[in-house]
């Protein structure tokens, strides 16, 4: 939903590339041709968010031939509160489906277990246990632990993965 925050993102020197149909109220699966620019130009550091499932990963699969096989990271973002990623087996199935659709391998795990603004440290730690289990079973490292910045001081200092404090920019205060 970057199109809703396009001006804000651009003010932070972030170039959002989204739908080729510029209509803020429509959610159409129309990918802009501009998406190939950061993939083929090594001057860019970029993130492609494909929605977190095998359906979104199909879009990435369309461009996988442009991605150098040893020159990318593809993270599986895990929220232990989501139905499709509540157990290690479900996360592993999720990873396999994404890899099959995209033609690329997951190189790291991100614990992003949350309940939006109601998230507790216990939620984050429960998610951490899950991603560590998946990490051991699949030999995929835990790269990040994402959580609201106000929770960071309460987290144990020895968590596997770099703590990635976040602010909620994309959700309005009432959401």
């Amino acid at each position: 939903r970057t199109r809703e925050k396009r001006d804000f993102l651009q003010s932070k020197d972030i170039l959002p590339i989204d739908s080729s149909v510029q209509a803020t109220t429509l959610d159409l699966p129309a990918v802009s041709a501009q998406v190939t620019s950061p993939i083929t130009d090594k001057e860019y550091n970029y993130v492609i968010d494909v929605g977190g499932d095998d359906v979104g990963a199909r879009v990435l699969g369309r461009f996988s031939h442009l991605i150098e096989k040893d020159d990318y990271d593809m993270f599986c973002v895990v929220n232990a509160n989501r139905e499709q990623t509540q157990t290690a087996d479900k996360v592993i199935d999720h990873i396999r489906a994404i890899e099959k659709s995209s033609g690329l391998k997951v190189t790291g795990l991100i614990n992003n277990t949350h309940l939006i603004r109601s998230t507790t440290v216990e939620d984050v730690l429960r998610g951490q246990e899950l991603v560590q289990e998946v990490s051991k079973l699949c030999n995929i490292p835990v790269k990040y632990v994402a959580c609201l910045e106000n929770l960071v001081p309460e987290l144990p200092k020895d968590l596997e993965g770099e703590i990635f404090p976040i602010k909620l920019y994309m959700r309005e205060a009432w959401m």
Side-chain angles (χ1 to χ4, degrees):
R1 312 281 318 207
T2 56
R3 64 186 166 270
E4 296 172 6
K5 300 289 184 176
R6 177 174 288 283
D7 292 342
F8 172 75
L9 292 167
Q10 288 174 334
S11 77
K12 302 291 184 189
D13 290 327
I14 298 170
L15 172 64
I17 301 171
D18 49 37
S19 176
S20 59
V21 178
Q22 295 302 312
T24 58
T25 58
L26 298 176
D27 196 7
L28 298 172
V31 179
S32 169
Q34 189 181 13
V35 76
T36 61
S37 295
I39 296 171
T40 57
D41 184 344
K42 297 297 178 194
E43 296 298 313
Y44 283 95
N45 288 314
Y46 64 96
V47 173
I48 299 175
D49 182 346
V50 294
D53 63 18
D54 59 319
V55 175
R58 267 189 232 139
V59 174
L60 185 58
R62 164 67 181 86
F63 303 103
S64 65
H65 68 285
L66 299 173
I67 299 171
E68 293 181 27
K69 296 301 178 200
D70 295 325
D71 193 28
Y72 74 91
D73 276 308
M74 185 162 86
F75 300 130
C76 179
V77 181
V78 177
N79 182 347
N81 292 318
R82 292 201 173 183
E83 184 178 346
Q84 63 270 42
T85 55
Q86 288 182 340
T87 68
D89 287 340
K90 286 183 175 186
V91 173
I92 292 167
D93 289 344
H94 193 67
I95 289 169
R96 288 182 181 143
I98 289 170
E99 289 178 338
K100 183 178 179 183
S101 286
S102 69
L104 299 166
K105 289 287 184 191
V106 169
T107 63
L109 300 170
I110 298 176
N111 172 17
N112 186 34
T113 300
H114 66 87
L115 293 166
I116 309 174
R117 288 181 181 83
S118 299
T119 307
T120 65
V121 169
E122 290 74 26
D123 294 319
V124 176
L125 296 178
R126 185 172 45 80
Q128 189 68 7
E129 287 178 21
L130 175 61
V131 295
Q132 286 178 309
E133 182 181 356
V134 172
S135 175
K136 287 182 181 89
L137 292 169
C138 297
N139 198 30
I140 300 173
V142 177
K143 293 289 193 167
Y144 298 100
V145 179
C147 71
L148 292 172
E149 62 184 357
N150 65 306
L151 295 178
V152 170
E154 300 176 51
L155 291 175
K157 303 300 178 218
D158 61 346
L159 289 178
E160 185 178 347
E162 181 181 340
I163 295 174
F164 193 97
I166 60 172
K167 294 180 183 182
L168 298 178
Y169 291 103
M170 302 305 281
R171 289 194 174 264
E172 302 301 333
W174 57 269
M175 295 175 96

